[in-house]
Amino acid sequence: MRALVFHFSSLVGLLVLLNQLWGTAEIERTVFTAFAAGLVMYTVLVIGFAVARRIMAATPPADEAAEAGTDETNADELIPLNRAKAPTA
């Protein structure tokens, strides 16, 4: 996954570099802007990937959640308040 993040952020940096060079910008500013854009993109993608992995690790798998939910579903049933009791005589 890190290779994909690296390639995508490099592509963004390259596109920013080409966009800046297409206009009449000075070369130092162009290189700095392209490098900064690539670095920011890499940082955002890596942090997003880490957050997504942490969220996925915190949620239980679907099979375990379904097994644990069977006992709890009976407790969530609605019980009518005006239930008539059977005569005990």
Side-chain angles (χ1 to χ4, degrees), residues 1 7 12 37 41 51 67 70 74 76 78 88-89:
M1 186 68 182
H7 289 304
V12 168
M41 180 61 70
V51 168
E67 290 174 4
T70 56
N74 294 337
D76 292 339
L78 294 176
T88 57

Side-chain angles (χ1 to χ4, degrees), residues 45-86:
L45 289 175
V46 166
I47 290 173
F49 179 66
V51 168
R53 273 191 10 200
R54 185 165 296 221
I55 290 171
M56 294 300 290
T59 57
D63 295 337
E64 292 177 11
E67 290 174 4
T70 56
D71 296 332
E72 295 175 3
T73 55
N74 294 337
D76 292 339
E77 292 179 4
L78 294 176
I79 300 172
L81 295 176
N82 57 0
R83 196 186 314 180
K85 293 185 178 183

